Amino acid sequence: MKVIISGGGTGGHIFPAVAIANAIRALAPETEILFIGATGRMEMEKVPAAGYEIIGLPVRGLIRPLWSPRNFGVLIDFLKSKSQVRKIIRDFRPDVAVGVGGYASAPTLNAATAEGIPCLIQEQNSYAGVTNKSLGTKAKIICVAYDGMDRFFPAERIIKTGNPVRQALLQNTSTPAEARVSFGLDPGRKTVLVIGGSLGARTVNESIAAGIRDFEKAGVQVLWQTGKLYADECLKRAQETDTQLVHPTPFIADMAMAYKAADVVISRAGASSISELCLLGKASVLVPSPNVAEDHQTKNARALSDRGAAVFVADADARQSLVPTALSLVNDAARIAGLETEILKLALPDSARIIAEKVIALAAKK
């Protein structure tokens, strides 16, 4: 069996794609898997690191406003990508193609359907992305993580599978105390984990930086992933405050251990992050990024907060209310327990395996 998996651009697309590939390999070890991504994007580094071959296309996203003359160049690159991917498909001869969203998915799956290759798409968010919406009528199977996705896709093709997550997160057996010690933290102290993505989140970082003294007064320690763009600035603020409890770091390699260390997680509301929080049953304060297409992170976060499964703080309010909200929560054991109970109800385990089974079934039909 031969499978093409296409998409990327962010960890929210790449982690599910790699998880699906791993699950396919676990079920059908002889499968040949080829990734197709966008040149210069994160997948060109992360996918080979996971042990898979990837080919990059010159595809790019549309520029706002849509009537910008620069979109002529975007269109030319899309047509080049579509021509290039046709050749890849004819050379590789896949039995099935999988799209996870992101720039490369559109030319890849359009070309695959033109060649008669059955396609499956995986939509991570509660509000479908532009690429996946455009592919919805062509895909044989559409795997989703939220209810109500028939607003975007043909209902008869939708399967609710949830979002695949990094398996290492579910395999950590450390205690919270052991996890805290691994980061040089006090094993018995209440702990807040702050994550804003690998690049960081400006509003979240500025809010935490402004609240360092509040965490100190409350005796709450903070493991703070700043992202590489804001690392120097956040470290300087921590040093100026002479903090003993707030620990900034550009990047956390072992997220399984970081989640285990935390009583409360402060996070953006990307689909992968939310899926991880659901599966791990973590009490969380979600601060959706306003800088994403269709404001989909707000819709993701509201899908949880409206069910009492997370606390919602708008990005515009974060500088005033994020730290007080987090401190109130971390000191309320009953509320934490309630959030953990409700968010676990939203977890959909075995997503990667279920999607892999659908991929294999499509290939078998062909």
Side-chain angles (χ1 to χ4, degrees):
M1 186 172 65
K2 294 184 176 184
V3 179
I4 278 178
I5 300 178
S6 184
T10 67
H13 294 310
I14 298 164
F15 294 139
V18 170
I20 292 167
N22 291 341
I24 293 170
R25 279 271 171 86
L27 293 171
E30 301 303 316
T31 302
E32 293 183 47
I33 298 174
L34 175 66
F35 279 76
I36 298 177
T39 302
R41 302 292 289 182
M42 189 189 298
E43 58 265 27
M44 301 308 294
E45 175 188 346
K46 298 295 184 183
V47 169
Y52 294 99
E53 180 186 356
I54 185 167
I55 297 173
L57 304 176
V59 66
R60 296 180 285 149
L62 288 169
I63 296 162
R64 308 285 179 179
L66 294 178
W67 56 84
S68 167
R70 290 188 293 167
N71 277 326
F72 181 74
V74 173
L75 176 60
I76 295 299
D77 283 342
F78 179 83
L79 295 174
K80 285 181 184 175
S81 298
K82 201 167 179 181
S83 175
Q84 184 178 333
V85 83
R86 279 200 197 102
K87 184 177 186 309
I88 294 169
I89 287 171
R90 287 168 184 167
D91 290 344
F92 185 67
R93 300 178 66 192
D95 297 294
V96 62
V98 178
V100 295
Y103 301 147
S105 281
T108 301
L109 268 69
N110 273 305
T113 54
E115 295 290 331
I117 308 299
C119 297
L120 174 149
I121 58 176
Q122 198 257 329
E123 174 56 55
Q124 296 93 32
N125 294 292
S126 60
Y127 194 94
V130 172
T131 298
N132 276 349
K133 279 193 286 188
S134 72
L135 296 168
T137 58
K138 300 177 182 179
K140 299 288 187 184
I141 297 174
I142 301 154
C143 298
V144 303
Y146 293 90
D147 294 323
M149 298 303 286
D150 53 355
R151 295 175 292 162
F152 310 107
F153 305 117
E156 67 277 8
R157 302 183 195 178
I158 294 174
I159 301 173
K160 188 177 178 184
T161 61
N163 289 325
V165 302
R166 295 168 280 189
Q167 285 303 111
L169 297 178
L170 305 175
Q171 296 165 351
N172 186 295
T173 57
S174 300
T175 65
E178 289 169 342
R180 290 167 192 157
V181 168
S182 75
F183 291 105
L185 305 177
D186 183 334
R189 192 178 291 273
K190 288 182 178 13
T191 305
V192 173
L193 170 65
V194 181
I195 47 176
S198 58
L199 297 179
R202 176 175 291 281
T203 305
V204 172
N205 283 333
E206 290 179 351
S207 303
I208 299 302
I212 289 175
R213 294 192 190 280
D214 296 321
F215 285 114
E216 292 284 334
K217 289 176 186 174
V220 173
Q221 62 192 357
V222 181
L223 180 57
W224 178 14
Q225 180 178 279
T226 65
K228 63 182 181 181
L229 293 182
Y230 305 100
D232 292 343
E233 177 185 334
C234 294
L235 181 59
K236 182 181 178 184
R237 285 294 297 274
Q239 290 171 340
E240 288 173 350
T241 316
D242 193 28
T243 178
Q244 303 300 307
L245 295 180
V246 178
H247 304 272
T249 180
F251 181 72
I252 298 172
D254 192 344
M255 281 305 301
M257 202 64 101
Y259 280 127
K260 188 72 76 167
D263 295 294
V264 168
V265 180
I266 295 173
S267 176
R268 286 302 202 190
S272 285
S273 296
I274 284 182
S275 294
E276 292 172 358
L277 293 167
C278 289
L279 285 167
L280 296 172
K282 302 303 295 188
S284 59
V285 181
L286 299 176
V287 188
S289 171
N291 305 311
V292 294
E294 310 288 354
D295 195 25
H296 68 254
Q297 285 203 10
T298 294
K299 297 176 178 70
N300 291 347
R302 287 296 190 193
L304 270 66
S305 64
D306 289 349
R307 301 183 188 191
V311 178
F312 178 95
V313 173
D315 188 85
D317 301 329
R319 290 176 179 84
Q320 289 74 41
S321 62
L322 178 57
V323 171
T325 298
L327 286 173
S328 173
L329 177 58
V330 81
N331 287 303
D332 190 338
R335 193 175 183 205
I336 287 175
L339 289 170
E340 290 173 344
T341 297
E342 292 305 314
I343 200 168
L344 272 173
K345 292 177 183 177
L346 302 177
L348 292 168
D350 295 327
S351 297
R353 178 185 58 78
I354 294 167
I355 295 169
E357 288 174 348
K358 300 300 178 185
V359 171
I360 291 169
L362 278 181
K365 283 184 181 179
K366 180 176 182 295

